[in-house]
């Protein structure tokens, strides 16, 4: 048993959809959620740059004595999960493998669609993860970067329950409309006859009602959040690292961006007040990774040999 927190991070607010599921599954666990809003979005960035961010934020979370790190961002998972697993002592869990597993379990016709950022889709990480689980499942992928902007704008401008606001308000301020954008993005996937669609970006669960409407009935919408929470629960249970029974945990929220805005918008995603949001400066973050971790950026995946 341990009272150490679980560290969770994303480029911004989207990963709160994953943190929410983890808190639901593990109500006694302390959490630290880190949103790198000053550098959001990650999706259009070079994956090498995102790998450096993964090392910085992972180092910061390690300095806070976390017992496990969740990369609650598909782009950062695609870019840096393996690197983070090499770099840090604590277990690191990403969101792509859990999402792929949920899709493999859900599909009946073995045709799965995946939408995500340019970085995630171009990495091919979902197709690889699905193939590893079931080589008979075909993955059809499409980058849908405007959905990230729509979520960010929807959160800023909308009001009311966050899961509905995007369907309601996107018609008002998005041009072309959400449904026109979705037709371009999703029609090719519909023509491929997918029966399941993975929301391969942690921002997208906030659009799931609208995306489901655009895909039409009969297509299951899959978010990796629940499956990720299950994996987190199993991992800490296996390591005998659950918080003590009846423990009242502290949940800390940290951002590199505007703390007030993070608190205002993040509370809508968290569905409860976040409380005071802490700030971390980018200059502090960039100084954190040790030289041996920085060296990993140049030699990822090198296997040691026994002479
Ligand atoms: N939340 C990020 C993800 O899951 C996407 C947002 C971004 O581009 O930073 O990929």
């Amino acid at each position: 048993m341990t009272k150490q927190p679980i560290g969770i991070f994303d480029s911004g607010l989207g990963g709160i959809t994953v943190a929410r599921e983890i808190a639901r599954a593990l109500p006694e666990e302390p959490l630290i959620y880190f949103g790198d809003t000053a550098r959001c979005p990650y999706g259009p960035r070079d994956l090498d740059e995102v790998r450096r961010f993964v090392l910085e934020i992972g180092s910061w979370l390690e300095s806070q004595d976390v017992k496990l790190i969740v990369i609650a961002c598909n782009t950062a998972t695609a870019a840096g999960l393996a690197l983070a697993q090499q770099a840090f002592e604590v277990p690191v869990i990403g969101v792509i493998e859990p999402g792929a597993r949920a899709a493999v379990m859900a599909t009946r016709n073995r045709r799965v669609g995946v939408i995500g950022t340019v970085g995630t889709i171009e990495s091919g990480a979902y197709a690889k993860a699905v193939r590893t689980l079931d080589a008979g499942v075909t993955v059809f992928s499409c980058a849908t970067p405007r959905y990230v902007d729509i979520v960010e704008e929807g959160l800023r401008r909308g009001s009311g329950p966050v899961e509905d606001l995007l369907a309601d308000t996107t018609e008002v301020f998005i041009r072309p409309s959400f449904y026109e954008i979705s037709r371009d993005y999703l029609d090719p996937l519909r023509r491929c006859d997918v029966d399941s669609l993975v929301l391969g970006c942690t921002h997208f669960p906030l659009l799931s009602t609208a995306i489901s409407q655009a895909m039409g009935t009969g297509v299951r919408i899959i978010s990796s959040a629940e499956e990720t929470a299950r994996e987190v629960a199993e991992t800490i249970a296996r390591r005998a690292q659950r918080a003590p029974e009846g423990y009242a945990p502290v949940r800390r929220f940290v951002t590199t961006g505007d703390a007030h805005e993070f608190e205002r918008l993040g509370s809508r995603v968290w569905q409860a007040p976040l409380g005071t949001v802490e700030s971390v400066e980018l200059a502090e973050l960039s100084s954190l990774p040790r030289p041996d971790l920085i060296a990993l950026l140049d030699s990822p995946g090198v296997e040691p040999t026994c002479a």
Side-chain angles (χ1 to χ4, degrees):
M1 251 173 327
T2 158
K3 294 177 188 167
Q4 286 171 282
I6 294 168
I8 304 168
F9 76 90
D10 176 43
S11 58
L13 299 160
I16 296 178
T17 57
V18 179
R20 219 167 55 180
E21 283 308 322
I22 294 173
R24 209 169 278 160
L26 297 164
E28 288 157 337
E29 292 298 329
L31 307 178
I32 303 180
Y33 180 87
F34 189 108
D36 192 9
T37 36
R39 300 186 290 199
C40 183
Y42 282 4
R45 291 177 188 269
D46 192 274
L47 290 189
D48 280 339
E49 187 180 21
V50 178
R51 279 151 50 78
R52 165 93 205 197
F53 298 166
V54 168
L55 278 190
E56 291 177 5
I57 299 169
S59 299
W60 186 85
L61 288 170
E62 247 194 357
S63 76
Q64 305 298 305
D65 196 28
V66 297
K67 61 186 165 201
L68 178 141
I69 294 173
V70 181
I71 306 184
C73 172
N74 291 264
T75 316
T77 300
L81 175 66
L83 173 75
Q85 288 172 335
Q86 287 178 298
F88 304 116
E89 299 278 316
V90 296
V92 184
I93 290 174
V95 282
I96 290 181
E97 210 262 343
R101 203 167 42 236
V104 167
M105 287 191 292
T107 184
R108 296 286 166 265
N109 70 0
R110 306 178 95 196
R111 300 170 77 81
V112 167
V114 178
I115 54 175
T117 65
V118 172
T120 300
I121 297 303
E122 285 187 351
S123 75
Y126 266 101
K128 214 181 305 159
V130 166
R131 242 192 330 266
T132 305
L133 294 164
D134 184 344
V137 174
T138 308
V139 175
F140 301 89
S141 309
C142 175
T144 58
R146 285 216 64 195
Y147 283 171
V148 176
D149 307 334
I150 292 172
V151 168
E152 297 280 331
E153 276 299 293
L155 283 172
R156 262 183 208 104
R157 300 199 195 195
S159 59
V162 76
E163 252 76 12
D164 305 335
L165 84 95
L166 297 154
D168 296 344
T169 58
T170 46
E171 287 303 300
V172 180
F173 59 80
I174 301 285
R175 289 287 174 271
S177 76
F178 176 80
Y179 293 100
E180 286 168 294
I181 294 169
S182 294
R183 211 173 307 131
D184 284 350
Y185 280 159
L186 303 180
D187 272 4
L189 293 176
R190 282 155 36 118
R191 282 198 295 275
C192 290
D193 193 29
V194 300
D195 74 349
S196 311
L197 180 70
V198 180
L199 305 181
C201 170
T202 52
H203 277 62
F204 297 175
L206 300 172
L207 281 172
S208 67
T209 310
I211 292 172
S212 175
Q213 275 165 15
M215 278 307 278
T217 48
V219 176
R220 290 178 194 219
I221 303 298
I222 301 191
S223 135
S224 55
E226 274 175 46
E227 197 60 28
T228 304
R230 198 179 356 259
E231 191 170 330
V232 170
E234 277 169 17
T235 306
I236 59 173
R238 245 192 340 261
R239 297 167 64 90
Q241 285 188 319
R242 292 286 299 260
E245 221 169 291
Y247 186 60
V250 174
R251 269 82 190 252
R252 289 170 58 196
F253 292 86
V254 182
T255 181
T256 51
D258 180 328
H260 288 294
E261 183 169 78
F262 193 95
E263 185 184 340
R264 187 172 69 83
L265 305 182
S267 297
R268 302 190 59 205
V269 185
W270 183 247
Q271 296 172 335
L274 295 188
T276 305
V277 172
E278 300 164 48
S279 291
V280 171
E281 298 293 327
L282 291 180
E284 180 196 338
L285 267 190
S286 62
S287 68
L288 289 178
R290 300 188 315 262
D292 58 313
L293 301 193
I294 297 290
L296 290 173
L297 287 171
D298 296 325
S299 56
V302 176
E303 300 294 337
T305 48
C306 258

Coordinates of all heavy atoms in Angstrom, one line a residue, residues 219-263:
V219 N -22.3 2.1 -35.7 CA -20.9 2.2 -35.5 C -20.6 2.5 -34.0 O -21.1 3.5 -33.5 CB -20.3 3.3 -36.4 CG1 -18.8 3.4 -36.1 CG2 -20.5 3.0 -37.8
R220 N -19.8 1.6 -33.4 CA -19.5 1.8 -32.0 C -18.4 2.8 -31.9 O -17.4 2.7 -32.6 CB -19.0 0.5 -31.4 CG -20.1 -0.5 -31.2 CD -19.4 -1.7 -30.6 NE -20.2 -2.9 -30.8 CZ -20.4 -3.8 -29.8 NH1 -19.7 -3.7 -28.7 NH2 -21.2 -4.8 -30.0
I221 N -18.6 3.7 -30.9 CA -17.5 4.7 -30.7 C -16.7 4.3 -29.5 O -17.2 4.0 -28.4 CB -18.2 6.1 -30.4 CG1 -19.1 6.5 -31.6 CG2 -17.1 7.2 -30.1 CD1 -18.4 6.7 -32.9
I222 N -15.4 4.2 -29.7 CA -14.5 3.6 -28.7 C -13.5 4.7 -28.2 O -12.8 5.3 -28.9 CB -13.8 2.5 -29.3 CG1 -14.8 1.5 -29.8 CG2 -12.8 1.9 -28.3 CD1 -14.3 0.2 -30.1
S223 N -13.6 4.8 -26.8 CA -12.6 5.7 -26.2 C -11.7 4.8 -25.4 O -12.2 3.9 -24.8 CB -13.3 6.8 -25.4 OG -12.7 7.0 -24.2
S224 N -10.4 5.2 -25.3 CA -9.5 4.3 -24.6 C -9.5 4.5 -23.1 O -8.8 3.8 -22.3 CB -8.1 4.4 -25.1 OG -7.7 5.8 -25.1
A225 N -10.3 5.6 -22.6 CA -10.2 6.0 -21.2 C -10.5 4.9 -20.2 O -9.7 4.6 -19.3 CB -11.1 7.2 -21.0
E226 N -11.6 4.1 -20.5 CA -12.0 3.1 -19.5 C -11.0 2.0 -19.5 O -10.6 1.5 -18.4 CB -13.3 2.5 -19.9 CG -14.5 3.3 -19.3 CD -15.8 2.7 -19.9 OE1 -16.0 1.5 -19.9 OE2 -16.6 3.5 -20.3
E227 N -10.5 1.6 -20.6 CA -9.6 0.5 -20.7 C -8.2 0.9 -20.1 O -7.5 0.1 -19.5 CB -9.4 0.1 -22.2 CG -8.8 -1.2 -22.5 CD -9.5 -2.4 -22.0 OE1 -10.8 -2.4 -21.8 OE2 -8.9 -3.4 -21.7
T228 N -7.9 2.1 -20.3 CA -6.6 2.6 -19.7 C -6.8 2.6 -18.2 O -5.8 2.2 -17.4 CB -6.3 4.1 -20.2 OG1 -6.3 4.1 -21.6 CG2 -5.0 4.6 -19.6
A229 N -7.9 3.0 -17.7 CA -8.1 3.1 -16.2 C -8.0 1.6 -15.6 O -7.5 1.4 -14.6 CB -9.5 3.7 -15.9
R230 N -8.6 0.7 -16.4 CA -8.5 -0.7 -16.0 C -7.1 -1.2 -15.9 O -6.6 -1.8 -14.9 CB -9.3 -1.6 -17.0 CG -9.6 -2.9 -16.4 CD -10.5 -3.9 -17.2 NE -10.9 -3.4 -18.5 CZ -12.1 -3.0 -18.7 NH1 -13.0 -3.0 -17.8 NH2 -12.5 -2.6 -19.9
E231 N -6.3 -0.8 -16.9 CA -4.9 -1.2 -16.9 C -4.1 -0.6 -15.7 O -3.3 -1.2 -15.1 CB -4.2 -0.8 -18.2 CG -2.8 -1.5 -18.4 CD -2.3 -1.3 -19.8 OE1 -3.0 -1.3 -20.7 OE2 -1.0 -1.3 -19.9
V232 N -4.4 0.7 -15.4 CA -3.8 1.4 -14.3 C -4.1 0.6 -13.0 O -3.3 0.3 -12.2 CB -4.3 2.8 -14.2 CG1 -3.8 3.5 -12.9 CG2 -3.7 3.6 -15.4
A233 N -5.4 0.3 -12.8 CA -5.9 -0.4 -11.6 C -5.2 -1.7 -11.5 O -4.7 -2.1 -10.4 CB -7.4 -0.6 -11.7
E234 N -5.1 -2.5 -12.6 CA -4.4 -3.8 -12.5 C -2.9 -3.7 -12.1 O -2.4 -4.4 -11.4 CB -4.5 -4.5 -13.8 CG -5.9 -5.2 -14.0 CD -6.1 -5.7 -15.5 OE1 -5.1 -5.8 -16.2 OE2 -7.2 -6.0 -15.8
T235 N -2.3 -2.7 -12.7 CA -0.9 -2.5 -12.5 C -0.6 -2.2 -11.1 O 0.3 -2.8 -10.5 CB -0.3 -1.4 -13.5 OG1 -0.6 -1.7 -14.8 CG2 1.2 -1.3 -13.3
I236 N -1.3 -1.2 -10.5 CA -1.0 -0.9 -9.1 C -1.4 -2.0 -8.1 O -0.7 -2.2 -7.1 CB -1.5 0.5 -8.7 CG1 -3.0 0.6 -8.8 CG2 -0.8 1.6 -9.4 CD1 -3.5 1.9 -8.2
A237 N -2.4 -2.7 -8.5 CA -2.8 -3.8 -7.6 C -1.8 -4.9 -7.6 O -1.4 -5.4 -6.6 CB -4.2 -4.4 -8.1
R238 N -1.3 -5.2 -8.9 CA -0.2 -6.3 -9.0 C 1.0 -5.9 -8.2 O 1.7 -6.7 -7.6 CB 0.1 -6.4 -10.5 CG -0.2 -7.8 -11.0 CD 0.4 -8.1 -12.4 NE 0.8 -6.9 -13.2 CZ 0.2 -6.4 -14.1 NH1 -1.0 -6.8 -14.4 NH2 0.7 -5.4 -14.8
R239 N 1.3 -4.6 -8.1 CA 2.5 -4.1 -7.4 C 2.3 -3.8 -6.0 O 3.1 -3.2 -5.3 CB 3.1 -2.9 -8.2 CG 3.5 -3.2 -9.6 CD 3.8 -2.0 -10.4 NE 4.9 -1.2 -9.9 CZ 6.2 -1.3 -10.3 NH1 6.5 -2.2 -11.2 NH2 7.1 -0.5 -9.7
A240 N 1.1 -4.1 -5.5 CA 0.7 -3.9 -4.1 C 0.9 -2.4 -3.8 O 1.4 -2.0 -2.7 CB 1.4 -4.8 -3.2
Q241 N 0.4 -1.5 -4.7 CA 0.6 -0.1 -4.5 C -0.7 0.7 -4.4 O -0.7 1.9 -4.7 CB 1.4 0.5 -5.7 CG 2.9 0.1 -5.6 CD 3.7 0.8 -6.7 OE1 3.3 0.9 -7.8 NE2 4.9 1.3 -6.3
R242 N -1.8 0.0 -4.1 CA -3.1 0.7 -4.0 C -3.0 1.6 -2.8 O -2.3 1.3 -1.8 CB -4.2 -0.3 -3.8 CG -4.5 -1.2 -5.0 CD -5.3 -0.4 -6.0 NE -6.5 0.1 -5.6 CZ -7.7 -0.5 -5.9 NH1 -7.8 -1.6 -6.6 NH2 -8.8 0.1 -5.5
A243 N -3.7 2.7 -2.8 CA -3.8 3.6 -1.6 C -4.6 2.9 -0.6 O -5.4 1.9 -0.9 CB -4.6 4.9 -2.0
P244 N -4.4 3.2 0.7 CA -5.1 2.5 1.8 C -6.6 2.7 1.7 O -7.1 3.7 1.2 CB -4.6 3.2 3.1 CG -3.4 4.0 2.7 CD -3.5 4.3 1.2
E245 N -7.3 1.7 2.1 CA -8.8 1.7 2.0 C -9.3 2.9 2.8 O -8.9 3.2 3.9 CB -9.4 0.4 2.6 CG -10.5 -0.1 1.8 CD -10.9 -1.5 2.3 OE1 -10.1 -2.4 2.1 OE2 -12.0 -1.6 2.9
G246 N -10.3 3.6 2.2 CA -10.9 4.8 2.9 C -10.1 6.0 2.8 O -10.4 7.0 3.4
Y247 N -9.0 6.0 2.1 CA -8.1 7.1 2.0 C -8.8 8.2 1.2 O -9.4 8.0 0.2 CB -6.8 6.7 1.3 CG -5.7 7.8 1.3 CD1 -5.2 8.3 2.4 CD2 -5.2 8.3 0.0 CE1 -4.2 9.2 2.4 CE2 -4.3 9.2 0.0 CZ -3.8 9.7 1.2 OH -2.8 10.7 1.2
A248 N -8.7 9.5 1.7 CA -9.3 10.6 1.0 C -8.1 11.3 0.2 O -7.3 12.0 0.8 CB -9.9 11.6 2.0
P249 N -8.1 11.1 -1.1 CA -6.9 11.5 -1.9 C -6.9 13.0 -2.2 O -8.0 13.6 -2.4 CB -7.1 10.7 -3.1 CG -8.5 10.5 -3.3 CD -9.1 10.5 -1.9
V250 N -5.7 13.5 -2.4 CA -5.6 14.9 -3.0 C -5.5 14.7 -4.5 O -4.7 13.8 -5.0 CB -4.3 15.5 -2.4 CG1 -4.1 16.9 -3.1 CG2 -4.5 15.7 -0.9
R251 N -6.2 15.5 -5.3 CA -6.0 15.6 -6.7 C -5.4 16.9 -7.1 O -6.0 18.0 -6.9 CB -7.3 15.4 -7.4 CG -7.7 14.0 -7.7 CD -8.3 13.3 -6.6 NE -8.4 11.8 -6.7 CZ -9.6 11.2 -6.9 NH1 -10.7 11.9 -7.0 NH2 -9.7 9.9 -7.0
R252 N -4.2 16.9 -7.6 CA -3.5 18.2 -8.0 C -3.6 18.4 -9.5 O -3.4 17.4 -10.2 CB -2.0 18.1 -7.5 CG -1.8 18.2 -6.1 CD -0.4 17.9 -5.7 NE 0.6 18.8 -6.3 CZ 1.9 18.5 -6.4 NH1 2.4 17.4 -5.9 NH2 2.7 19.4 -7.0
F253 N -3.8 19.6 -9.9 CA -3.8 19.9 -11.3 C -2.7 21.0 -11.6 O -2.6 22.0 -10.8 CB -5.1 20.4 -11.8 CG -6.2 19.3 -11.7 CD1 -6.9 19.1 -10.5 CD2 -6.5 18.6 -12.8 CE1 -7.8 18.0 -10.5 CE2 -7.4 17.5 -12.8 CZ -8.1 17.3 -11.6
V254 N -1.9 20.7 -12.6 CA -0.7 21.5 -12.9 C -0.7 21.9 -14.4 O -1.1 21.1 -15.2 CB 0.6 20.7 -12.6 CG1 1.8 21.5 -12.8 CG2 0.5 20.2 -11.1
T255 N -0.3 23.1 -14.7 CA -0.3 23.5 -16.1 C 1.0 24.3 -16.4 O 1.5 25.0 -15.5 CB -1.5 24.3 -16.5 OG1 -1.4 24.6 -17.9 CG2 -1.7 25.6 -15.8
T256 N 1.4 24.3 -17.7 CA 2.4 25.2 -18.1 C 1.8 26.5 -18.7 O 2.5 27.4 -19.0 CB 3.3 24.5 -19.3 OG1 2.3 24.1 -20.3 CG2 4.1 23.4 -18.7
G257 N 0.5 26.5 -18.8 CA -0.2 27.7 -19.4 C -0.8 28.5 -18.4 O -0.3 28.7 -17.3
D258 N -1.9 29.1 -18.8 CA -2.7 30.1 -17.9 C -3.5 29.3 -16.8 O -4.4 28.6 -17.2 CB -3.6 30.9 -18.8 CG -4.4 31.9 -18.0 OD1 -4.7 31.6 -16.8 OD2 -4.7 33.0 -18.5
A259 N -3.0 29.4 -15.6 CA -3.6 28.6 -14.5 C -5.1 28.9 -14.3 O -5.9 27.9 -14.1 CB -2.9 28.7 -13.2
H260 N -5.5 30.1 -14.5 CA -6.9 30.5 -14.2 C -7.8 29.9 -15.3 O -8.9 29.3 -15.1 CB -7.1 32.0 -14.2 CG -6.5 32.6 -12.9 ND1 -7.1 32.3 -11.7 CD2 -5.5 33.4 -12.7 CE1 -6.4 32.9 -10.8 NE2 -5.4 33.6 -11.4
E261 N -7.3 30.0 -16.6 CA -8.1 29.5 -17.7 C -8.2 27.9 -17.6 O -9.2 27.3 -17.8 CB -7.5 29.9 -19.0 CG -8.3 29.3 -20.1 CD -8.0 29.9 -21.5 OE1 -7.0 29.4 -22.1 OE2 -8.7 30.8 -22.0
F262 N -7.0 27.3 -17.2 CA -7.0 25.9 -17.0 C -8.1 25.5 -16.0 O -8.8 24.5 -16.1 CB -5.6 25.4 -16.6 CG -5.4 23.9 -16.7 CD1 -4.9 23.4 -17.9 CD2 -5.9 23.1 -15.7 CE1 -4.7 22.0 -18.0 CE2 -5.7 21.7 -15.8 CZ -5.1 21.2 -17.0
E263 N -8.1 26.2 -14.9 CA -9.1 25.9 -13.8 C -10.5 26.0 -14.3 O -11.4 25.2 -14.1 CB -8.8 26.8 -12.6 CG -9.7 26.5 -11.4 CD -9.5 27.5 -10.3 OE1 -8.5 28.2 -10.3 OE2 -10.4 27.6 -9.5

